[in-house]
Amino acid sequence: MPASAEPRVVLSARGLKRDFGGFIAVNNVDLDVHHGRIQALIGPNGAGKTTVFNLLTKFLQPSSGRIELLGRDITRSPPAKVARMGLVRSFQISAVFPHLSVLDNVRVALQRPSGLGVQFWRSLSALDRLTPRAEELLRSVGLDDARNRSAGDLSYGRKRVLEIATTLALDPKVLLLDEPMAGMGHEDVGMVSDLIRSVARDRAVLMVEHNLTVVADLCDWITVLQRGEILAAGDYQTVSSDERVKVAYMGTDHG
């Protein structure tokens, strides 16, 4: 993206801190997530990446600091409200309904934005009006050929693709992906990388990912955490050449 076309910030954190009974898991983290960009949060095990995700999505409340989504303060907002505003996350473990069809997994996800999620008295036929949008989403992620298969019969990589389709059903403005490539073979990694690149064209994507080859290929901006604090930030070339990052990952100074 040209430097002159700097995208807008849609999610930001300032001075984000979380302690657990004296243990500081996240300390003074500043983060800006931009529309149309793929950004990564990386760091060695225990660096605080998942805690930051939990703070941003309000599964945890910060001890101090401020979080804004689309210009609105969400620091004390509950997770459900934040999700309705357009901040949606996936988890490390694939979360699909294995005994439902691929199509029905997406139709279930569409119930909430369509107002059917709380209309428990409606008949199952009410879901039929969600089918065209569900089929559109499946085509967009390359799963239209599997619409009638049980989700549990999909390969691991295609289950992750289905999970992304169900998150897209919520029409997110900001999509947080927690280790989307975990446990995947090379072919699946390429498929999901292409999907994430496509998804990010009209929304912001922030991902936690251990596969640095994926990070180098996909991400416009990378924030490196160590012991809950930001160690470095920049494009891949900048952070990968930072001696402090090398020490954090390798445990020794190769400079």
Side-chain angles (χ1 to χ4, degrees):
M1 182 175 296
S4 59
E6 181 70 15
R8 72 182 187 276
V9 174
V10 291
L11 175 66
S12 68
R14 290 293 179 271
L16 204 58
K17 181 178 180 180
R18 174 69 194 204
D19 63 74
F20 297 94
F23 170 72
I24 300 176
V26 171
N27 189 35
N28 198 33
V29 166
D30 292 346
L31 194 65
D32 286 326
V33 181
H34 296 78
H35 177 80
R37 275 187 179 174
I38 304 172
Q39 298 176 224
L41 197 59
I42 68 171
N45 290 333
K49 304 181 296 295
T50 297
T51 302
V52 169
F53 256 37
N54 287 336
L55 291 169
L56 293 175
T57 53
K58 311 320 311 305
F59 284 84
L60 286 174
Q61 289 291 346
S63 303
S64 60
R66 179 182 175 92
I67 306 169
E68 289 189 357
L69 174 63
L70 303 173
R72 295 174 59 185
D73 186 349
I74 62 165
T75 309
R76 300 297 167 192
S77 298
K81 179 179 179 181
V82 169
R84 288 194 297 270
M85 290 175 63
L87 178 57
V88 179
R89 75 177 287 183
S90 72
F91 293 86
Q92 294 180 23
I93 300 173
S94 181
V96 300
F97 296 108
H99 301 299
L100 292 182
S101 71
V102 168
L103 178 66
D104 281 343
N105 266 269
V106 181
R107 293 203 303 173
V108 167
L110 283 167
Q111 288 182 72
R112 169 61 67 180
S114 301
L116 294 176
V118 294
Q119 297 180 16
F120 55 86
W121 62 88
R122 298 290 292 273
S123 68
L124 287 176
S125 62
L127 292 179
D128 290 345
R129 67 182 177 89
L130 303 180
T131 299
R133 175 57 179 156
E135 291 177 332
E136 180 184 348
L137 283 167
L138 290 178
R139 283 193 297 272
S140 74
V141 301
L143 283 178
D144 48 318
D145 63 325
R147 65 191 299 277
N148 295 319
R149 292 181 61 187
S150 293
D153 293 338
L154 296 178
S155 69
Y156 181 74
R158 297 194 97 193
K159 285 178 183 174
R160 297 313 298 259
V161 169
L162 175 57
E163 183 183 358
I164 291 175
T166 61
T167 61
L168 293 178
L170 301 175
D171 193 24
K173 305 299 184 293
V174 185
L175 183 58
L176 273 57
L177 302 175
D178 197 352
E179 297 193 39
M181 310 299 178
M184 286 189 189
H186 178 73
E187 181 177 335
D188 284 341
V189 166
M191 172 180 61
V192 176
S193 292
D194 289 343
L195 175 57
I196 292 172
R197 192 177 284 109
S198 174
V199 162
R201 289 177 187 148
D202 56 2
R203 58 181 52 83
V205 174
L206 177 65
M207 56 193 287
V208 167
E209 181 55 55
H210 284 291
N211 187 329
L212 295 185
T213 301
V214 169
V215 171
D217 178 56
L218 272 182
C219 297
D220 304 293
W221 190 266
I222 299 154
T223 301
V224 185
L225 288 181
Q226 184 184 35
R227 299 189 184 94
E229 298 185 349
I230 293 179
L231 182 65
D235 59 22
Y236 185 78
Q237 182 176 357
T238 298
V239 299
S240 64
S241 62
D242 191 310
E243 291 300 324
R244 298 169 301 167
V245 175
K246 294 178 183 178
V247 171
Y249 270 96
M250 309 299 290
T252 182
D253 191 342
H254 293 274

